[in-house]
Amino acid sequence: MRLVPPALAAWATAAWTLDAPPRLVGGVVLLCAIVAGVLLSGWGSGARGVPAAGGGASPGGAGGAGGATPVSGARPSDGTGNRSPDGPADRSSGGTGDRSSEGTGDRSRDGTGGRSPTGTSPLSPEGSRSRSSGRSSGWPAGARYEWSRMSGAALLLCVAAAGVSAGLHGADLRRGPVPVLAREYATVTAEVELTSDPRLTRPRVRGDHVTPDSVLVDGQVRSVAAHGEAGTETRAPVLVVVDVRDRAGPEGGRPAGVGRSARRAWLGLLPSTRVRVTGRLAPALTGGDRIAAVLRVRDRGTGAVPVVVRKPSVPQRAAGRLRAGLREATDGLPTDARALLPGLVVGDTSRITPELDEAFKETDLAHTLAVSGSNLTIMLALLLGPPGLARHVERRGLAPRLGIPLRTTALLGGALTLGFVVVCRPDPSVLRAAACGAVVLLALATGRRRSLIPALATAVLLLVLYDPWLARSYGFLLSVLATGALLTLAPRWSAALRRRGLPPRLAEALAAAGAAQALCAPVVAVLSARVSLVAVPCNLLVEFAVAPATVLGFTTLATAPWAMPAAKASAWLASWPAEWIAGVARTGAALPGAGVDWPGGWGGALLLALATAVAVPLGRRLLRRPWLCAACAALLLLAVVRPSPLTRVLTGWPPPGWRLAMCDVGQGDATVLAAGEGTGVVVDAGPDPALVDRCLDRLGITRIPLVVLTHFHADHVAGLPGVLRGRAVGAIETTGFAEPVDQVAFVRREAEAGDVPLVRAVAGERRRLGSLDWEVLWPPARQVPEPEGPNDASVTLLVRSAGIRMLLLGDLEPSGQQALARSPAAARWGGVDVLKVAHHGSAYQDPDLIRAVAPRLALISAGADNPYGHPAPGTVAALRATGAVVLRTDRDGALAVVGTGGRLRVARD
């Protein structure tokens, strides 16, 4: 455990000094080095009667001459004058201080790695008591002081080393021409050496549009030229952002197809490739990043296509062939398996859809999508045999079955680890996985979990010194916490569960999942402001499928370049456990109570850590009362499943007899019209599939006869996958104005994937479902003149339900509202009770329409703190001037209208 404080100190120092002023960093390093030198020199130890380093006087200054007689409890000599690195030896009955294996369970010095000749486990109660008693009673004051002095010096030296490493890495961001040119937003021609795989950005809804596709890749600028000057050699880390939109015509200014060709060219590049590009440098958006600048490649014509200056290295080309073979072998698999297998094996998540990615995050299974230490552990265990028998003759691994000696097996394990790092890319996350995976495997193989904590500390220390940016990585923190949980909490919890009658394998799996969740959940709460209630059961359910999927996936990876039919057969076998993993993630995420909102930031993390610290002792007591455990499990199950009748009784949502519900989906629209028990007509889907899906779950909607998409802006259609997820949908009705084209194509793809027919809404259409009926007022079959944009082609509905008249205006703007007012449908506006205000209550409203409609209740869907100022104060004032009660989702949350034509009531979620 003495290595833990230096590792933590180095970690904290690296995180602090990366962007600290150089003079301050230099002062801290110099001070630590001086103090450490003083401690190592033994200055001042004579006054305490303690021998200086290398001195011969016995501790305490009495008894024995020249240090010939060892003091009882002092660290023993091995006969050569070297002291044991582990502090004072455990004392045998002879009291000589020499290590003995007889009856103590201590480590012997015969190289067996922790097994005494008698077979006593180093974690046995006898061995534990022996060590603890020796350390508490065998350390005289002088020896304790000397050891404290050496430990303090080691800690200060680690702090100094971390400061030097972090200072040098931080200086890379500030020196050279790149930071200067970035502050000038200069257009440059640069040679960039790629340090990661290119990746496409995830689509994001911003306002009424989806952000364009871009390729992101990390790299180092090796040469840069600006203002027509000659190139300057440098070495600066940058993030390259490449615009790969395929937009033709005057607005795009480039031929059709250039975006697709640029995308293929960039995504086909491998790490270590050097390319020449022209783009604009810009400063990093946030401080503390590991990049000196952002290089945005937005050239017209074919300028976005990179020019390869130097091909990738031989190892990267070999790794690229393996990864490409894995993708080809999985091409014919079902969608989820096709996306998941490359992620499980080599961390390639390029095929993971946003919906699947969200499901894995919701269930805390995201660690299976990235390369982790478990991948390497599984492969090394396959080579060495079952973990507990790794050092035995009968260890039953692949290597001993082939007659490979132990030393050769160790070399093969090292080669496998090296190949793992190369194929999965030697970026920080993979290096972390290799180091921590090796630590976990060693702990399991030798059974010395407690003594392997220093090994984990050593791995952390070396990695932080190698790459100080890991000290600020949440992924690194989560990996270390999970590994520490497996080495410390999990064995104790597993033993406790076995004592209470659980089968050993189930106890180990449950303890591992619970321990990792207990330590990692506070950090996850910092990132997501949410706590998953299904994380432990979901991790348990996928536990038995991860190993076969990983082994078969690596088999596919290794055989694809040489025997593609065999690789495809292996991939098909791996698809079964992969589909199971994806199914567990989707099912768990679809549960209404899969997670609960939690305060974000480190304050929320501290609160969750305190709650966990209180819950763990209570859990121990609950284990003694099986009936109480069963009751708690039933309550947790009800909280996760949330049956609609029970939820309605406890929360009052949805209110009985609700007619219209406006979901809180942020800056977008999603409205539900009640059409019977569990049935509703959905008008617009909002910008986020998860939010609209959660809203429909809380309303108890399982059948949707019709989805009306008023127009194709992303804040109204991007959530469509959440509407379709797990529900019976009859049809999707849309406007006839098919712009923007990318969102039109998105809706068509989703409808085709869900086998849902698409129909067009036309003014004059009327439909009825029980007590619900509605009429399409807008747009006409042929709009004259042509609308200026999608907003003025919004589908407008007049809805009647239980005597309540509701007008839903979509996103109509003043020109569209005035055209609607001139249409014959305007005569039917009289007596409107509820108005869904157009365009999130923006300032672009026709005041005459507001006065003509004069609703009793006006509902506005807008996102909290949105950058557009919706709803506009003038619009809210105009509505209130007509006598309307104005409610808005950004302040009031989800809203439900209840009552009849004579009496209206609004419930808030």
Side-chain angles (χ1 to χ4, degrees):
M1 296 296 291
R2 289 183 291 271
L3 285 174
V4 173
L8 294 177
W11 192 342
T13 302
W16 170 64
T17 56
L18 276 168
D19 50 9
R23 290 186 179 181
L24 180 59
V25 175
V28 171
V29 170
L30 183 61
L31 177 62
C32 290
I34 292 174
V35 176
V38 171
L39 291 175
L40 289 174
S41 68
W43 180 81
S45 61
R48 297 175 180 263
V50 180
S58 60
T69 303
V71 177
S72 174
R75 289 176 292 159
S77 170
D78 61 0
T80 64
N82 297 324
R83 289 177 172 174
S84 167
D86 293 326
D90 297 335
R91 300 177 61 188
S92 65
S93 58
T96 62
D98 297 327
R99 293 195 171 204
S100 172
S101 61
E102 296 179 5
T104 64
D106 302 326
R107 288 180 292 171
S108 64
R109 300 179 66 95
D110 59 359
T112 60
R115 296 284 181 178
S116 67
T118 61
T120 304
S121 168
L123 293 181
S124 63
E126 293 81 6
S128 300
R129 286 194 296 269
S130 173
R131 283 194 299 273
S132 61
S133 61
R135 288 177 181 173
S136 61
S137 62
W139 283 72
R144 284 199 300 269
Y145 170 75
E146 182 181 0
W147 189 251
S148 298
R149 178 168 57 84
M150 301 297 289
S151 298
L155 186 146
L156 291 173
L157 288 176
C158 289
V159 169
V164 171
S165 179
L168 292 175
H169 279 77
D172 286 340
L173 308 184
R174 298 185 289 267
R175 64 180 174 222
V178 170
V180 177
L181 294 170
R183 288 192 292 271
E184 299 173 356
Y185 292 89
T187 298
V188 301
T189 298
E191 288 188 7
V192 182
E193 182 176 316
L194 308 187
T195 57
S196 72
D197 282 299
R199 56 202 183 273
L200 274 175
T201 57
R202 296 286 188 195
R204 291 184 178 180
V205 177
R206 290 187 178 178
D208 58 7
H209 66 280
V210 176
T211 55
D213 287 344
S214 297
V215 173
L216 304 181
V217 59
D218 300 312
Q220 284 194 337
V221 174
R222 293 305 186 95
S223 174
V224 61
H227 312 303
E229 300 174 355
T232 303
E233 296 293 327
T234 186
R235 188 185 182 93
V238 296
L239 174 66
V240 183
V241 181
V242 187
D243 183 0
V244 291
R245 283 177 291 186
D246 187 25
R247 182 182 294 172
E251 184 180 359
R254 54 183 174 178
V258 170
R260 288 191 295 271
S261 63
R263 179 188 304 182
R264 286 194 298 268
W266 278 99
L267 293 179
L269 297 176
L270 296 172
S272 74
T273 304
R274 184 177 289 191
V275 298
R276 183 183 298 115
V277 295
T278 300
R280 173 170 291 179
L281 286 172
L285 294 178
T286 58
D289 286 339
R290 64 188 306 160
I291 57 174
V294 176
L295 179 59
R296 297 184 178 275
V297 181
R298 290 178 174 175
D299 287 27
R300 303 297 182 181
T302 59
V305 179
V307 177
V308 176
V309 177
R310 192 185 69 189
K311 293 183 178 179
S313 63
V314 173
Q316 289 296 344
R317 288 202 296 269
R321 284 194 294 269
L322 289 173
R323 293 166 69 98
L326 176 63
R327 286 193 295 269
E328 181 181 351
T330 57
D331 277 342
L333 299 180
T335 303
D336 283 346
R338 176 177 175 271
L340 189 56
L341 268 180
L344 281 172
V345 178
V346 296
D348 181 0
T349 60
S350 58
R351 292 174 171 175
I352 300 293
T353 62
E355 293 77 26
L356 185 60
D357 184 55
E358 184 65 28
F360 273 78
K361 289 178 180 178
E362 186 75 18
T363 54
D364 279 2
L365 291 175
H367 60 88
T368 62
L369 297 179
V371 176
S372 64
S374 61
N375 299 59
L376 181 60
T377 301
I378 291 169
M379 297 309 299
L380 288 179
L382 183 66
L383 177 68
L384 298 175
L389 303 178
R391 297 192 60 86
H392 288 231
V393 175
E394 66 281 5
R395 57 190 185 273
R396 298 200 304 269
L398 183 61
R401 291 183 185 277
L402 297 176
I404 301 175
L406 186 59
R407 291 186 177 179
T408 307
T409 301
L411 293 176
L412 289 176
L416 180 61
T417 303
L418 180 61
F420 171 82
V421 172
V422 173
V423 172
C424 299
R425 307 300 191 221
D427 56 26
S429 64
V430 175
L431 293 175
R432 178 187 71 245
C436 293
V439 168
V440 172
L441 178 65
L442 188 58
L444 294 174
T446 62
R448 300 183 66 86
R449 294 181 174 92
R450 186 173 300 176
S451 64
L452 260 293
I453 292 295
L456 175 60
T458 302
V460 170
L461 178 62
L462 294 178
L463 286 173
V464 168
L465 293 178
Y466 170 76
D467 184 4
W469 289 104
L470 286 174
R472 293 185 175 182
S473 168
Y474 284 103
F476 182 71
L477 176 60
L478 287 170
S479 179
V480 173
L481 288 176
T483 306
L486 294 177
L487 296 178
T488 55
L489 294 180
R492 300 176 183 178
W493 291 7
S494 175
L497 292 173
R498 288 198 303 270
R499 286 195 299 268
R500 285 164 175 79
L502 262 70
R505 290 185 180 274
L506 178 59
E508 288 181 4
L510 184 59
Q517 181 69 12
L519 290 190
C520 295
V523 180
V524 175
V526 173
L527 302 175
S528 63
R530 192 165 175 81
V531 176
S532 175
L533 299 181
V534 298
V536 172
C538 285
N539 275 275
L540 285 175
L541 289 173
V542 305
E543 181 73 24
F544 70 93
V546 171
T550 301
V551 172
L552 291 169
F554 271 102
T555 303
T556 304
L557 178 76
T559 56
W562 327 107
M564 185 55 68
K568 290 187 174 182
S570 176
W572 179 81
L573 292 174
S575 69
W576 290 87
E579 284 285 307
W580 169 261
I581 295 171
V584 169
R586 289 189 183 277
T587 302
L591 293 171
V596 295
D597 293 332
W598 193 265
W602 289 107
L606 178 61
L607 181 62
L608 183 57
L610 292 175
T612 304
V614 172
V616 169
L618 291 178
R620 288 182 187 169
R621 297 185 179 183
L622 285 178
L623 289 176
R624 303 170 188 168
R625 298 172 175 81
W627 62 270
L628 198 53
C629 286
C632 290
L635 289 176
L636 179 61
L637 182 63
L638 289 175
V640 170
V641 177
R642 292 186 184 177
S644 295
L646 180 62
T647 303
R648 183 173 295 177
V649 170
L650 295 177
T651 66
W653 182 269
W658 65 276
R659 302 299 174 184
L660 175 146
M662 178 172 280
C663 297
D664 183 7
V665 292
Q667 185 63 18
D669 267 2
T671 305
V672 186
L673 304 172
E677 186 65 29
T679 305
V681 173
V682 176
V683 182
D684 287 326
D688 189 331
L691 293 179
V692 70
D693 184 27
R694 190 177 306 161
C695 176
L696 293 174
D697 280 340
R698 290 183 59 78
L699 292 171
I701 300 297
T702 58
R703 296 183 303 278
I704 304 175
L706 184 68
V707 177
V708 180
L709 300 178
T710 59
H711 59 296
F712 288 103
H713 274 156
D715 55 337
H716 292 250
V717 303
L720 182 59
V723 176
L724 302 180
R725 186 179 301 153
R727 297 178 182 88
V729 178
I732 298 174
E733 189 173 59
T734 69
T735 179
F737 190 79
E739 288 186 13
V741 292
D742 58 336
Q743 293 306 296
V744 174
F746 165 76
V747 170
R748 289 173 178 169
R749 286 195 306 271
E750 292 296 325
E752 183 179 358
D755 196 23
V756 180
L758 278 171
V759 296
R760 179 182 174 184
V762 179
E765 170 192 332
R766 297 196 65 168
R767 297 193 184 212
R768 174 181 289 274
L769 275 173
S771 62
L772 174 70
D773 73 84
W774 66 94
E775 178 183 359
V776 177
L777 304 182
W778 193 263
R782 183 178 179 184
Q783 282 187 259
V784 180
E786 187 83 5
E788 296 181 0
N791 285 344
D792 279 338
S794 294
V795 176
T796 301
L797 302 177
L798 180 62
V799 182
R800 302 173 185 86
S801 178
I804 302 175
R805 293 165 58 85
M806 298 170 278
L807 181 62
L808 282 60
L809 291 176
D811 271 5
L812 284 180
E813 294 186 345
S815 58
Q817 294 176 18
Q818 291 167 5
L820 177 62
R822 292 191 298 267
S823 70
R828 294 188 288 278
W829 286 354
V832 166
D833 300 297
V834 181
L835 172 67
K836 202 289 294 183
V837 181
H839 204 183
H840 320 292
S842 75
Y844 299 103
Q845 308 287 337
D846 178 26
D848 292 335
L849 182 141
I850 293 178
R851 286 192 292 269
V853 174
R856 297 163 56 191
L857 175 65
L859 303 180
I860 301 174
S861 179
D865 301 321
N866 66 83
Y868 311 103
H870 295 164
T875 299
V876 174
L879 290 165
R880 287 176 175 162
T882 65
V885 175
V886 180
L887 297 175
R888 39 197 286 189
T889 58
D890 61 332
R891 294 182 179 177
D892 302 308
L895 304 167
V897 178
V898 185
T900 60
R903 299 178 59 186
L904 285 182
R905 183 172 62 88
V906 179
R908 298 174 176 87
D909 184 9

